[in-house]
Amino acid sequence: MKALINAISYYLPNKVLTNKDISEEFPEWSVDKISTKVGINARHIADKDETAGDMAFKAAEKLFEEYNITKDKIDYLILCTQSPDYFLPTTACILQDKLGLSKKIGAFDFNMGCSGYIYGLGIAKGLIISEQAKNILLLTAETYSKYINKEDKSNKTIFGDGASATLISSTNLPFGLNFEIMNFCYGTDGSKFDSLIVKNGAHRHPIFDGKTQYDENGDYKYNDNNLYMDGKAIFNFTAFQVPPLIKETLEKNNLKIEDIDIFIFHQANKFMLETVRKRCEIPAEKFFIDIEDVGNTVSNTIPIAMYKAMIQKKYMPGKILLSGFGVGLSMAAVILKS
Amino acid sequence: MELSEFLTKFKEQYVDSDSITLSEDDDFRNIESYDSLTGMAILIMIKDNFNIEISEEDYKKLHTVKELYNYIQNKK
């Protein structure tokens, strides 16, 4: 029994936040200098009344249309999000109805961020191999912009909203991508849970009583009601933990770096990707970076990058190594084979 | 590691390392391309070479490559 990625599509909200918009709002912020380093010029931002559920719906509809997939084929729906429509019920149940999928399907959300897409592939493979499902719709959708404080120029520069849809099946799809999902490796360090966090609003700190903190220069530092990121902690985790994970993943699949045709990592930002690429000793020509017009869209970055590489650029490699890392702190990697 | 070698490795952390001049007594934050990301890269280079982690607080107090080098020597 095999599990195959047959099709990928994605959706980005219409509203675009450009560097020009950011520099007009924060004239003292050297956005061009920062954006050159992080490699991001524009990000898409969900409308006030547009949720992760709405965007996941659009990504799924786009996938069905692009690949001519009949909806009744789907027998399991998984949504990865950290910005669900409600505390409960699970957004995936709402999407089952909205997308007009069969009532006989399984559907659930899971809460993961930058490593979420790989986790989704891992769950989907498990469901297929154990014969619980044959055609799984894996959705990722995130609206981090709704968590970001209006004064938080650094996170505004990095994060964008978006959604993706992937069809994972037990058989090939005519004209599909048809990448076999090989072996996985995972890693978790919960001791750093508070280095990327939205602290207030759930049950540990139910009241939104955060006060904005500023540094000695009067620059925004954090507010517990909003998204907080300790960039240094995340950078350290990635720089030191991801290279051994990549090595382990290659070993688990009996492959070497030179056997891989393309490496597609979570598109966190260009500077961090370049750092991790060098530390993993991956040649630049095999390393895919494309975040200029989307930004860091959390669990969406890998499927978006795959779409850009394979569908827009028509590049169909033999072996791909995917890896996601960040919030949790959590990381995961897998190899795909055509 | 000698100070001169440390200075070379330090300079490599700047995106425009080929075109900047940095001596051991210069304030390394005064280089145009220095920002928090350069700072992260420098701290990673130090951890790689000396297995020392420098706190945000201590790092802020250090202004020149020589000061940073001496700090590391005292910590070892």
Side-chain angles (χ1 to χ4, degrees):
Chain A
M1 182 75 75
K2 282 181 184 176
L4 304 139
I5 293 185
N6 283 343
I8 297 177
S9 197
Y10 72 94
Y11 165 82
L12 298 171
N14 292 329
K15 195 177 145 197
V16 176
L17 181 71
T18 63
N19 287 351
K20 198 168 158 267
D21 297 332
I22 297 178
S23 77
E24 275 169 16
E25 207 184 338
F26 305 98
E28 77 295 349
W29 174 246
S30 44
V31 66
D32 286 332
K33 187 174 138 188
I34 302 289
S35 66
T36 310
K37 262 192 161 174
V38 297
I40 302 165
N41 291 330
R43 325 84 194 124
H44 292 251
I45 306 294
D47 263 347
K48 210 169 171 242
D49 57 358
E50 188 176 32
T51 67
D54 296 335
M55 296 196 305
F57 171 80
K58 285 179 181 156
E61 287 285 358
K62 209 171 148 229
L63 181 90
F64 295 147
E65 203 189 302
E66 267 179 53
Y67 288 86
N68 208 8
I69 297 163
T70 48
K71 289 183 179 183
D72 56 7
K73 181 177 169 174
I74 305 298
D75 57 6
Y76 216 106
L77 168 61
I78 306 169
L79 169 66
C80 171
T81 188
Q82 298 192 308
S83 39
D85 287 19
Y86 304 98
F87 271 127
L88 59 117
T90 198
T91 310
C93 290
I94 303 168
L95 286 169
Q96 171 274 323
D97 178 60
K98 213 174 154 187
L99 286 165
L101 302 179
S102 161
K103 285 188 178 171
K104 290 187 173 175
I105 69 168
F108 72 94
D109 292 359
F110 69 99
N111 174 330
M112 284 304 255
C114 318
S115 61
Y117 186 70
I118 314 294
Y119 268 81
L121 296 179
I123 299 164
K125 183 179 176 181
L127 289 168
I128 286 173
I129 303 296
S130 60
E131 298 185 26
Q132 296 184 66
K134 286 193 176 76
N135 294 293
I136 299 171
L137 178 61
L138 169 65
L139 305 176
T140 61
E142 215 58 85
T143 56
Y144 265 33
S145 71
K146 295 181 197 289
Y147 290 137
I148 297 172
N149 190 289
K150 57 182 192 331
E151 293 184 71
D152 186 353
K153 47 192 183 296
S154 26
N155 282 326
K156 272 188 177 177
T157 307
I158 293 187
F159 290 106
D161 298 333
S164 81
T166 303
L167 175 70
I168 300 135
S169 304
S170 55
T171 51
N172 278 354
L173 179 78
F175 311 108
L177 296 170
N178 305 319
F179 280 107
E180 190 184 351
I181 304 169
M182 308 305 286
N183 296 325
F184 291 82
C185 282
Y186 298 94
T188 304
D189 182 2
S191 70
K192 307 265 177 12
F193 77 97
D194 57 358
S195 45
L196 182 39
I197 190 168
V198 179
K199 213 173 251 176
N200 293 347
H203 303 294
R204 179 68 61 193
H205 304 284
I207 305 163
F208 286 103
D209 57 357
K211 300 252 182 315
T212 300
Q213 307 294 318
Y214 299 92
D215 68 12
E216 59 275 17
N217 303 319
D219 280 327
Y220 175 88
K221 250 170 97 182
Y222 68 89
N223 182 320
D224 284 342
N225 296 343
N226 301 104
L227 182 108
Y228 165 75
M229 179 164 73
D230 175 353
K232 209 178 112 194
I234 306 291
F235 199 92
N236 255 309
F237 174 74
T238 308
F240 291 100
Q241 303 309 319
V242 173
L245 178 84
I246 301 308
K247 195 168 167 260
E248 196 191 330
T249 307
L250 287 165
E251 283 166 9
K252 207 168 173 182
N253 287 278
N254 294 317
L255 294 169
K256 292 189 174 69
I257 283 203
E258 47 272 28
D259 298 324
I260 303 294
D261 298 290
I262 185 168
F263 293 79
I264 301 180
F265 284 12
H266 164 55
Q267 307 280 299
N269 69 67
K270 196 174 132 195
F271 187 78
M272 191 151 101
L273 280 167
E274 273 300 320
T275 305
V276 77
R277 177 186 73 75
K278 287 178 201 152
R279 296 176 75 83
C280 291
E281 295 173 346
I282 299 167
E285 65 274 14
K286 284 187 172 187
F287 196 73
F288 193 75
I289 302 182
D290 192 337
I291 42 169
E292 218 178 301
D293 58 349
V294 280
N296 178 343
T297 53
V298 199
S299 54
N300 303 292
T301 67
I302 296 172
I304 292 175
M306 286 174 75
Y307 188 96
K308 283 173 178 248
M310 282 158 229
I311 293 149
Q312 289 170 347
K313 295 187 181 159
K314 301 193 190 311
Y315 177 63
M316 291 302 259
K319 291 186 191 74
I320 314 168
L321 195 152
L322 305 180
S323 181
F325 35 80
V327 59
L329 300 178
S330 167
M331 59 180 185
V334 67
I335 287 173
L336 308 177
K337 208 172 83 180
S338 66
Chain B
M1 187 188 295
E2 295 295 316
L3 176 58
S4 58
E5 193 189 340
F6 181 67
L7 180 65
T8 308
K9 281 189 190 287
F10 194 98
K11 235 182 104 183
E12 283 168 6
Q13 308 312 313
Y14 288 78
V15 279
D16 51 356
S17 56
D18 295 338
S19 55
I20 57 164
T21 38
L22 178 70
S23 77
E24 56 191 56
D25 294 313
D26 290 339
D27 186 333
F28 58 79
R29 289 184 186 83
N30 282 346
I31 304 279
E32 175 72 22
S33 63
Y34 182 91
D35 59 15
S36 62
L37 292 169
T38 319
M40 288 177 199
I42 289 166
L43 294 174
I44 285 172
M45 180 274 288
I46 291 169
K47 200 172 162 186
D48 274 342
N49 286 282
F50 304 97
N51 202 20
I52 285 173
E53 281 191 59
I54 305 176
S55 72
E56 193 76 45
E57 217 174 298
D58 282 359
Y59 182 67
K60 272 185 188 166
K61 287 179 202 153
L62 302 160
H63 300 283
T64 69
V65 177
K66 198 197 247 167
E67 278 171 19
L68 201 51
Y69 181 77
N70 291 338
Y71 174 94
I72 294 164
Q73 298 307 314
N74 290 332
K75 271 237 165 178
K76 274 205 291 187

